[in-house]
Amino acid sequence: MFSSSSILTVDLAAIQANWRYVASSLKNNAECAAVVKADAYSVGAEEVAKALYLAGCRSFYLATVEEAVVLRMILPADAILYVLGGVRLGAEPSFAELRLIPVLYSLAEIKHWSEFCASICAALPCVIKVDTGMTRLGLRLSDLDEFLQMAANHFSLNPILIMSHLACADEPGHPLNTRQLQQFEKAVAKTKVFFPQIKTSLANSSATFLGEEFHFDMVRIGAALYGINPQRDRPNPLQPAITLKLSVLQIRLLETDVSVGYGAAASAKAGTRLAVVAGGYADGIHRTLGLSPRGMVNGQMVPAVGRISMDSCVFDISAVAADPEYIEVMNEQISLDSLIAHNNFLGYEVLTSLGRRYLRRYLGKV
């Protein structure tokens, strides 16, 4: 279902270029994986994953088995699919059949996976996630010791990767980055005693730019794919990949002074020209544009007027000569980075709030 042909354009060539840039900056032999969970942050996992595969990416991270099933159906057999949400009871056969690799984050889940693998006489690969200071999903370091003792006696366990996640990677000077790095190094050293060939992964997009010591064997980039600056205090080395323009539904030339929108929170003078556009908070406009949205028509900024509605919002186009067909709300001038800085939102929040009602157009579609 589309919202009156408002158009979200995704530049797949720019996404490929951003992946190649990061991949080429890694220390020797480190792999660059792509995080394409939540429908590639709402811009289309199938198209993004296919483009990244052609660029050379082979490892992809999803949140759920349902997301992974979709990509397994469209990507070549050598694509490696990791499921960050682990294994729900009853989903184990799907992991085995579709060669999905679960990220396991608790002793109970590890034991359950081990029992399933033993029941089918197959040591299927898995990932062990440890919590090094974010206090989210992951084994405590004390749990890791228990896991390693258990693993020594369970030949059905086949961990191929140990990973963790930084809490403050977009703040290069934050002391927690160093503490988490040190904790992860300790966890890796313990684990390699039992699994000397196990791979290692700590860095997301921002952490990749903290330095080579954070790269380990694999980095996992998500936001960087779309041109979001991985380090806010430095120039952005990445290409913008997302534009959004909202279809104009109605032009109103005001004959009298009026209030505009819910709550009569705004007003407009007689003679004002207003454009009502397709796109509201159900389409992520509240998160994308913040409380004081701006748009652009033929290179000229136009302000929003009044509260954003569920399916629409209103712009003052009095300064624009001709009636526009669209109002751009995300482009090279109104970039993701500028919106993030202006509204104090995370790039992830902006992208994942875009919803599914826009008509999506892919540049460089494969």
Side-chain angles (χ1 to χ4, degrees), residues 43-236:
V43 305
E46 294 183 39
E47 298 298 340
V48 169
K50 286 190 291 186
L52 289 171
Y53 183 90
L54 289 179
C57 183
R58 292 296 179 268
S59 293
F60 301 84
Y61 281 83
L62 296 309
T64 67
V65 64
E66 291 83 4
E67 291 179 350
V69 167
V70 172
L71 289 198
R72 178 56 76 208
M73 297 298 103
I74 64 168
L75 291 178
D78 62 338
I80 304 170
L81 305 183
Y82 298 91
V83 179
L84 291 162
V87 186
R88 296 194 304 268
L89 288 174
E92 305 89 349
S94 294
F95 279 79
E97 178 184 356
L98 298 174
R99 294 173 291 107
L100 309 178
I101 302 177
V103 176
L104 307 178
Y105 46 80
S106 71
L107 287 173
E109 193 178 33
I110 291 169
K111 291 175 182 177
H112 177 73
W113 180 250
S114 175
E115 290 168 358
F116 169 73
C117 291
S119 73
I120 63 171
C121 300
L124 302 177
C126 64
V127 176
I128 302 301
K129 185 172 186 178
V130 295
D131 175 25
T132 55
M134 192 170 185
T135 318
R136 204 171 62 173
L137 294 178
L139 295 177
R140 297 172 298 183
L141 295 186
S142 58
D143 292 335
L144 179 65
D145 293 332
E146 186 175 342
F147 157 71
L148 292 173
Q149 293 300 322
M150 177 181 69
N153 301 311
H154 288 74
F155 298 104
S156 56
L157 279 173
N158 179 23
I160 62 170
L161 179 74
I162 180 172
M163 66 180 288
S164 190
H165 194 80
L166 295 183
C168 304
D170 57 347
E171 301 177 54
H174 201 290
L176 186 55
N177 294 326
T178 299
R179 292 202 300 271
Q180 285 195 259
L181 174 62
Q182 293 169 345
Q183 291 287 77
F184 186 63
E185 289 173 333
K186 291 178 182 178
V188 168
K190 287 183 177 182
T191 305
K192 281 186 173 288
V193 172
F194 294 86
F195 301 100
Q197 302 303 315
I198 198 168
K199 300 293 186 180
T200 53
S201 180
L202 177 63
N204 63 355
S205 292
S206 293
T208 300
F209 290 80
L210 292 177
E212 289 188 354
E213 65 271 28
F214 289 87
H215 293 175
F216 290 90
D217 295 310
M218 175 189 286
V219 304
R220 316 176 306 270
I221 66 170
L225 294 171
Y226 312 105
I228 296 173
N229 194 350
Q231 297 293 343
R232 289 174 291 183
D233 61 341
R234 305 175 192 174
N236 191 349

Side-chain angles (χ1 to χ4, degrees), residues 232-352:
R232 289 174 291 183
D233 61 341
R234 305 175 192 174
N236 191 349
L238 305 171
Q239 298 182 24
I242 310 295
T243 60
L244 176 61
K245 59 182 183 179
L246 306 179
S247 176
V248 174
L249 301 175
Q250 184 180 21
I251 303 292
R252 304 181 65 99
L253 177 59
L254 303 184
E255 297 178 352
T256 60
D257 295 356
V258 296
S259 62
V260 180
Y262 283 117
S267 59
K269 299 291 186 181
T272 302
R273 278 169 54 244
L274 299 178
V276 183
V277 301
Y281 57 76
D283 308 291
I285 295 302
H286 64 305
R287 301 301 292 175
T288 303
L289 304 183
L291 298 177
S292 301
R294 300 174 301 159
M296 182 171 284
V297 177
N298 296 327
Q300 185 167 345
M301 289 291 186
V302 293
V305 182
R307 294 181 185 173
I308 296 171
S309 300
M310 182 180 293
D311 309 304
S312 64
C313 53
V314 181
F315 288 86
D316 183 345
I317 58 167
S318 302
V320 178
D323 291 347
E325 183 180 1
Y326 293 96
I327 292 181
E328 298 177 351
V329 295
M330 194 185 301
N331 57 21
E332 288 189 16
Q333 291 75 33
I334 311 174
S335 66
L336 270 173
D337 277 343
S338 68
L339 291 170
I340 292 164
H342 179 72
N343 299 314
N344 196 29
F345 292 155
L346 295 174
Y348 308 94
E349 292 179 288
V350 173
L351 287 176
T352 57

Side-chain angles (χ1 to χ4, degrees), residues 22-62:
V22 175
S24 67
S25 70
L26 302 178
K27 71 177 185 179
N28 291 339
N29 300 319
E31 181 181 4
C32 186
V35 181
V36 290
K37 63 181 180 178
D39 196 29
Y41 298 173
S42 194
V43 305
E46 294 183 39
E47 298 298 340
V48 169
K50 286 190 291 186
L52 289 171
Y53 183 90
L54 289 179
C57 183
R58 292 296 179 268
S59 293
F60 301 84
Y61 281 83
L62 296 309

